[in-house]
Amino acid sequence: MLQEKGYYGQFGGAYIPEMLYPNIASLQQQYISIIEHADFQKEFEYLLKQYVGRPSPLYKAERLSEHFQTQIYLKREDLNHTGSHKINNTIGQILLAKQLGKAKIIAETGAGQHGVATATVCALMGMECIVYMGEVDIARQSPNVARMKLLGAKVVPATSGSRTLKDATNEAMRHWINHPDDTHYIIGSVVGPHPYPDMVARFQSVISAEIKTQLQSQVGREFPDYVLACVGGGSNAAGAFYHFLEDERVQLIGAEAAGLGVESGKSAATLALGTVGILHGSKTVLMQTTDGQVVEPHSISAGLDYPGIGPMHAHLADINRATFYPITDEEAMQAGWQLSRLEGIIPAIETAHALAILPKISFKKEDIVVINLSGRGDKDLDTYIRYFELI
Amino acid sequence: MRSVKQTTMQKRIQVAFEKNKKELLTIYYTAGFPNLNDTLTIAQTLESAGADLIEIGIPFSDPIADGEVIQQSNMVALQNGMSVSVLFEQLSQLRQHVSLPVLLMGYLNPILQYGIENFCKKASEIGIDGLIIPDLPLEEYEQHYKSIFEQYHLAHVFLITPFTSPERIAKIDELSEGFIYMVSSASITGKTQGISTEQKQYFERIANMPLKTPKQIGFGIYDRSSFQTACQYAQGAIIGSAFIKHLQANPSKTPLELLVTQFVKEIKA
């Protein structure tokens, strides 16, 4: 899928200021040889198994399947240590940072899941950690802020722009420009300059590798008919799609956050609303004015509240290899409620967007539908409480 | 055959950097700040006050190489209604009022949305001499942009930093037409900590390289003293954030022209 110089079709590349060139060039030159080294693989696999708790279960959701009259399997990334898929990438990148001889780590975070996963691996490896988080997100995801602090990370509020994920990413990049020699930037999604989109996708690809093995043993074939995942930047979707990208028997479906509705002016549905442009170091689809200013997005879920999308997904949409559905706040919240009641699983609101695709597709009874359950909903209790007036 | 226009334009930067000229002052400011229609007034005043080159920033919502001061001025300019088309409109009579070299600085996305070819054509028509696009890397420039910039006789100004390798600097020197923009330290814009021994060593290292292109030092140059220090190692220096801050503060409501003049005189006194 990835072509020369970090492009997926017309998307990708590394549009970075000269100040970041040495760091990005050294990553580009070294990431594959570091990741593919036997010692690296051994340590990565060991930590994923014994520290993260992989493989994550592939669970046949009987009541949900009954409700939608199809065969639904949930890939339980919510059961990973720290509660989401984000830890797969941070384990990989912290090992890489060690190889690169970096002592300090920075990260951006939206919902706080990537921030927590980064703070966790920094504690594990005894590295200094700074996490940039939009002021708005700090307010709506306070349990994760507390977790990061407990883990020893410094949480710095991003106060510019929309004060959400985009602005946290800007601040992290500025910090990296100011501290290029001793610091590694752990980007949490398949966004940013090459090699980040590919590197993060590789670390997350364990999700689809496991799905294949697990389907083989559970249903006797290693591919599903559908894979469903939510997409902000798109890291969990990239991981869930990865080993099926070339397998045309598998339909790849993504859920974007439509906020109050695609046409409401309060949305984060990048592929529905965006055009080709450059943000955070890569050419991709982004929500922008005709004059090239990035539009401030809206979503009830902090993790999807991003005006861009990873270049791989932009390409998959462009060549019609994957289909992306805009899902409103309301649809996502109802889907989260439904999974809680039918399966006893409270999903992250990001993840609930993927679940909300279910009523939009007419599946056959025998279709095997895998949904990447990317995160758990504990961090979103406040939002659930307010939305459904639970207390 | 080179057109008359091209010769004039290339000359403007070349003339500015003629070998005997020292202590060249380039002032950066954000188009549309503090008020939408200040753009041309500031350029004219900079010229009459004694600045040597002018760098006009095109505001962007996400300026990742810029510190708080320029971020803020970008935001205000956008709220004021600045855009690439408005800027070109404001500068349409530029060459009737300003004879100094003028460069446009901007992030790549707004330029791409305007259309790269259109952008270069328009810039060239109104008499812009060069472009500074921090997130357009050398490799992309060479492959996809160089021929267009050349077609419209726009000098592309590259940045180098303390971490840019000698091989890369040599390559940049070869591709450069106007001047090389030496970023004074590994940092975003707007630092005001003075110039360290480490930075001086870096300036010296570059000064001793046999480069064909003249150099200017920018980022972290904010007053007369840091300007003069920088000018010991390069033909000139660029001031941005400090100038913006000066325009912004203005507690006694000094008229814009006076404010601009004060600043330039202070640096060049």
Side-chain angles (χ1 to χ4, degrees):
Chain A
M1 177 81 23
L2 184 72
Q3 300 150 357
E4 217 190 330
K5 291 180 179 150
Y7 278 90
Y8 302 85
Q10 62 164 315
F11 303 107
Y15 295 85
I16 43 154
E18 186 64 26
M19 291 78 101
L20 290 179
Y21 177 81
N23 280 356
I24 293 296
S26 110
L27 271 179
Q28 288 173 350
Q29 285 150 17
Q30 298 180 66
Y31 81 108
I32 289 180
S33 62
I34 291 176
I35 292 172
E36 287 182 347
H37 196 281
D39 293 345
F40 182 99
Q41 281 297 324
K42 201 172 146 202
E43 198 176 359
F44 184 52
E45 279 162 25
Y46 171 80
L47 287 172
L48 286 186
K49 184 165 184 224
Q50 305 297 355
Y51 186 71
V52 175
R54 302 203 73 90
S56 66
L58 184 70
Y59 161 72
K60 171 81 184 290
E62 294 289 357
R63 296 189 68 206
L64 197 65
S65 297
E66 176 65 28
H67 183 85
F68 286 104
Q69 289 294 297
T70 190
Q71 315 295 312
I72 299 172
Y73 290 78
L74 304 178
K75 180 59 175 164
R76 298 293 306 275
E77 293 297 301
D78 61 318
L79 294 178
N80 291 339
H81 180 41
T82 73
S84 82
H85 71 290
K86 292 289 187 189
I87 190 89
N88 304 327
N89 169 46
T90 60
I91 294 270
Q93 284 205 49
I94 199 89
L95 294 177
L96 186 103
K98 270 173 65 181
Q99 287 296 311
L100 294 168
K102 306 282 183 175
K104 298 177 183 176
I105 297 296
I106 51 167
E108 83 297 334
T109 198
Q113 291 303 90
H114 174 58
V116 167
T118 304
T120 298
V121 296
C122 287
L124 179 68
M125 297 293 170
M127 291 211 214
E128 202 179 308
C129 179
I130 299 176
V131 179
Y132 287 91
M133 187 169 186
E135 219 171 29
V136 169
D137 294 338
I138 287 180
R140 62 179 162 172
Q141 306 278 289
S142 58
N144 273 344
V145 177
R147 288 164 84 197
M148 286 185 269
K149 287 184 176 168
L150 188 57
L151 290 160
K154 187 176 165 197
V155 180
V156 181
T159 55
S160 58
S162 55
R163 294 169 292 138
T164 59
L165 182 53
K166 164 181 87 93
D167 313 285
T169 308
N170 289 341
E171 287 305 323
M173 288 197 160
R174 290 181 186 123
H175 181 107
W176 208 23
I177 289 173
N178 285 334
H179 306 87
D181 45 352
D182 62 349
T183 300
H184 175 67
Y185 177 16
I186 301 189
I187 295 184
S189 193
V190 288
V191 301
H194 174 60
Y196 279 100
D198 183 50
M199 183 165 74
V200 176
R202 283 168 185 254
F203 289 140
Q204 292 295 358
S205 70
V206 63
I207 299 172
S208 48
E210 287 176 6
I211 292 172
K212 285 177 85 168
T213 319
Q214 288 165 325
L215 277 180
Q216 182 65 45
S217 74
Q218 290 181 34
V219 303
R221 67 175 223 216
E222 61 170 23
F223 66 95
D225 297 291
Y226 293 87
V227 179
L228 273 51
C230 64
V231 180
S235 71
N236 91 77
F241 293 171
Y242 198 88
H243 290 286
F244 303 116
L245 288 171
E246 313 291 334
D247 188 343
E248 299 280 346
R249 295 170 298 186
V250 184
Q251 298 206 47
L252 307 175
I253 313 285
E256 305 196 282
L260 302 182
V262 171
E263 305 298 338
S264 67
K266 288 244 166 220
S267 176
T270 304
L271 289 169
L273 294 166
T275 50
V276 180
I278 287 169
L279 180 65
H280 296 145
S282 78
K283 185 179 271 188
T284 186
V285 173
L286 54 115
M287 289 165 53
Q288 58 183 326
T289 63
T290 49
D291 195 45
Q293 308 300 335
V294 182
V295 166
E296 295 179 359
H298 166 84
S299 168
I300 195 165
S301 84
L304 304 183
D305 203 348
Y306 185 70
I309 187 168
M312 182 182 98
H313 296 299
H315 178 60
L316 291 175
D318 199 33
I319 61 172
N320 294 316
R321 174 65 190 98
T323 310
F324 295 84
Y325 287 81
I327 302 294
T328 62
D329 291 350
E330 166 72 14
E331 289 168 329
M333 293 308 288
Q334 292 302 336
W337 172 274
Q338 184 178 50
L339 189 74
S340 304
R341 292 302 172 94
L342 286 179
E343 297 289 345
I345 299 170
I346 303 170
I349 296 171
E350 289 77 16
T351 311
H353 285 72
L355 293 159
I357 299 171
L358 287 169
K360 295 181 183 275
I361 296 176
S362 24
F363 299 105
K364 294 201 281 286
K365 179 84 182 150
E366 66 277 15
D367 280 343
I368 292 172
V369 180
V370 173
I371 301 175
N372 197 27
L373 211 75
S374 56
R376 64 177 177 232
D378 308 39
K379 69 178 178 67
D380 295 316
L381 270 184
D382 274 355
T383 311
Y384 276 120
I385 289 167
R386 262 182 280 119
Y387 199 86
F388 293 111
E389 297 175 355
L390 297 172
I391 298 175
Chain B
M1 263 303 266
R2 291 187 162 185
S3 71
V4 176
K5 200 165 195 176
Q6 173 195 359
T7 323
T8 333
M9 280 162 61
Q10 286 195 330
K11 255 193 183 151
R12 272 197 291 264
I13 297 186
Q14 274 169 14
V15 168
F17 282 96
E18 273 167 357
K19 288 223 180 326
N20 57 342
K21 292 192 181 159
K22 292 197 177 83
E23 301 206 353
L24 298 178
L25 173 65
T26 299
I27 295 286
Y28 162 92
Y29 66 97
T30 307
F33 175 89
N35 299 299
L36 181 63
N37 294 316
D38 290 340
T39 316
L40 191 58
T41 314
I42 295 177
Q44 278 176 277
T45 317
L46 283 172
E47 174 157 333
S48 58
D52 300 287
L53 290 93
I54 296 171
E55 179 188 343
I56 303 177
I58 302 167
F60 182 46
S61 53
D62 297 82
I64 58 163
D66 285 301
E68 268 178 49
V69 173
I70 294 182
Q71 282 173 46
Q72 189 64 31
S73 68
N74 276 235
M75 224 159 77
V76 171
L78 290 174
Q79 281 160 4
N80 287 345
M82 183 46 71
S83 68
V84 174
S85 1
V86 170
L87 177 62
F88 281 146
E89 184 62 32
Q90 290 180 348
L91 296 182
S92 59
Q93 308 299 315
L94 175 75
R95 287 304 170 198
Q96 292 171 20
H97 306 279
V98 176
S99 60
L100 291 182
V102 176
L103 295 104
L104 294 182
M105 178 274 171
Y107 290 84
L108 189 51
N109 195 53
I111 295 173
L112 282 188
Q113 302 313 315
Y114 191 85
I116 187 71
E117 177 109 33
N118 268 343
F119 181 89
C120 291
K121 185 166 179 277
K122 195 79 193 168
S124 173
E125 278 168 12
I126 61 174
I128 297 298
D129 303 287
L131 303 176
I132 304 175
I133 307 174
D135 57 347
L136 174 58
L138 191 155
E139 295 72 18
E140 288 288 336
Y141 168 74
E142 243 190 317
Q143 271 199 3
H144 303 293
Y145 296 83
K146 186 169 178 279
S147 58
I148 304 172
F149 285 25
E150 281 175 358
Q151 185 188 340
Y152 292 101
H153 319 302
L154 294 163
H156 179 233
V157 173
F158 291 93
L159 274 54
I160 64 170
T161 82
F163 296 100
T164 309
S165 70
E167 299 75 39
R168 196 170 165 83
I169 293 175
K171 175 104 202 233
I172 284 170
D173 184 43
E174 186 193 309
L175 287 171
S176 290
E177 282 182 24
F179 59 90
I180 291 177
Y181 192 137
M182 283 174 68
V183 176
S184 73
S185 67
S187 87
I188 54 176
T189 57
K191 289 277 158 69
T192 52
Q193 287 150 343
I195 292 172
S196 67
T197 319
E198 217 180 355
Q199 282 174 288
K200 287 181 189 165
Q201 284 165 358
Y202 151 63
F203 296 163
E204 201 139 340
R205 178 165 59 83
I206 304 300
N208 289 331
M209 285 181 78
L211 305 178
K212 72 167 172 64
T213 318
K215 291 154 305 238
Q216 290 209 90
I217 296 177
F219 287 44
I221 312 301
Y222 59 95
D223 59 6
R224 181 165 160 72
S225 153
S226 52
F227 174 73
Q228 285 186 321
T229 309
C231 289
Q232 287 167 23
Y233 303 92
Q235 247 182 295
I238 304 162
I239 299 183
S241 300
F243 180 67
I244 300 284
K245 223 190 261 178
H246 180 76
L247 297 187
Q248 209 166 22
N250 194 17
S252 48
K253 304 263 178 265
T254 311
L256 186 64
E257 285 89 341
L258 195 58
L259 214 54
V260 171
T261 308
Q262 272 173 359
F263 188 88
V264 174
K265 298 269 188 233
E266 170 110 15
I267 301 293
K268 290 210 94 177

